[in-house]
Amino acid sequence: PAEEEPPAEKPAEPAVTLRVILLALGARSDSSAVLAKALATRSQEMSEQVVRLLLMRRYEPAFEKLFGSAALADRFVGRDLGRLAEPILEAKHLPKLRALLANGTDGARVLAATALAGRVDLCGDAETRKALLDACKDKSYLVRASAAKVLGRLRALAALPQLVDLLSDSDSEVQASAAEAVAAIGDRDACAVAVAQSRLTFRRDPRWFSAMGIAGGEAELAALLQLSHSDAWLDRKVGMQGLGVCPRPEALKRLLEV
């Protein structure tokens, strides 16, 4: 009998072909300049791939160009690009990032907030702090969570009213970021609000435990002590962190045992 012909190979998916082409371009000595020209594309997929490659190469001229790229149509892509942008972020970029926080697309606002969260050392000026305070009311939970994170690391006392409001946010990620922030600031009253809110949560995120150590009652102390004896190292770690800021003598006794 006649041999059956092997099935024809399926053509590569366009996305796969695009990645191969971009990776091939990356091997060229002038790859960054060539890839930068592709930022003008209207294709969201191609724009995203190009921006990622340029940021991984820490190609600083691409930073300004990416703000208007099609890649920033998606908030989760914006978060990823914000993380990649952290190493090349400089003080001169702050005005643009503040403008994006105020009026950018969802993806652009998330990019700005994520990048700032990774470079708290650049966020101490009054204008950037104000932009972050305003971002606490952003419609995106990713922006609100990042803003809370930065304000906590800045020990921004003026942000306590906004952070306390975020403790009862509709999103658990925002709540946990706010709890971590008020604990970093160390305000006992704000931490007491965090403790009360933590009692309403179905499952406590580890970022709640420092606030519990600062302002918690008997139940919170017992929970931290129990965690500090856990066989799981991560549970022990967060338990010890909570005990480390707890003013109770039982906490100090447990820390001295370790």
Side-chain angles (χ1 to χ4, degrees):
E3 294 184 0
E4 294 183 4
E5 294 185 3
E9 293 185 3
K10 293 182 180 180
E13 293 289 335
V16 175
T17 303
L18 174 62
R19 292 190 188 97
V20 172
I21 292 172
L22 292 175
L23 288 172
L25 281 174
R28 293 173 46 154
S29 58
D30 60 345
S31 61
S32 294
V34 174
L35 289 168
K37 295 178 181 178
L39 284 173
T41 178
R42 295 181 180 179
S43 165
Q44 179 178 339
E45 184 177 9
M46 184 172 181
S47 179
E48 177 188 340
Q49 295 291 337
V50 169
V51 170
R52 286 180 186 277
L53 287 169
L54 288 171
L55 290 178
M56 285 190 287
R57 285 166 173 71
R58 300 191 179 184
Y59 184 66
E60 196 274 338
F63 192 76
E64 290 288 343
K65 294 182 180 180
L66 74 86
F67 293 130
S69 71
L72 293 185
D74 183 270
R75 57 182 176 169
F76 296 107
V77 171
R79 179 179 60 181
D80 292 344
L81 296 182
R83 290 169 176 166
L84 289 173
E86 290 174 15
I88 59 175
L89 184 61
E90 299 178 12
K92 66 181 180 181
H93 298 129
L94 291 178
K96 184 65 175 180
L97 291 174
R98 291 194 295 264
L100 289 178
L101 271 179
N103 302 304
T105 63
D106 283 354
R109 296 197 319 279
V110 172
L111 179 146
T114 304
L116 290 172
R119 294 298 306 274
V120 179
D121 57 304
L122 297 177
C123 299
D125 63 284
E127 289 180 295
T128 302
R129 287 190 180 217
K130 182 181 183 305
L132 291 165
L133 288 173
D134 293 340
C136 288
K137 297 181 180 179
D138 195 274
K139 64 180 182 179
S140 170
Y141 79 91
L142 293 171
V143 175
R144 298 196 303 275
S146 292
K149 184 184 300 184
V150 179
L151 292 167
R153 292 177 178 176
L154 289 172
R155 309 291 196 272
L157 286 171
L160 281 172
Q162 288 86 345
L163 294 172
V164 168
D165 286 343
L166 292 181
L167 290 170
S168 56
D169 193 89
S170 58
D171 184 86
S172 60
E173 174 66 22
V174 178
Q175 291 180 4
S177 295
E180 185 177 42
V182 297
I185 294 172
D187 184 86
R188 184 174 177 80
D189 291 338
C191 287
V193 178
V195 170
Q197 184 63 35
S198 75
R199 293 169 181 168
L200 303 177
T201 60
F202 177 72
R203 183 178 182 277
R204 285 171 173 163
D205 184 287
R207 287 169 289 180
W208 290 94
F209 292 127
S210 290
M212 290 166 53
I214 292 172
E218 294 294 335
E220 284 71 34
L221 176 61
L224 293 172
L225 288 170
Q226 182 178 3
L227 284 170
S228 73
H229 287 91
S230 173
D231 292 332
W233 73 268
L234 183 57
D235 287 346
R236 289 199 306 276
K237 177 182 176 181
V238 296
M240 290 298 182
Q241 286 176 341
L243 294 174
V245 293
C246 180
R248 303 282 291 274
E250 299 94 324
L252 177 60
K253 179 181 178 181
R254 170 59 182 146
L255 291 171
L256 292 175
E257 291 175 355
V258 178

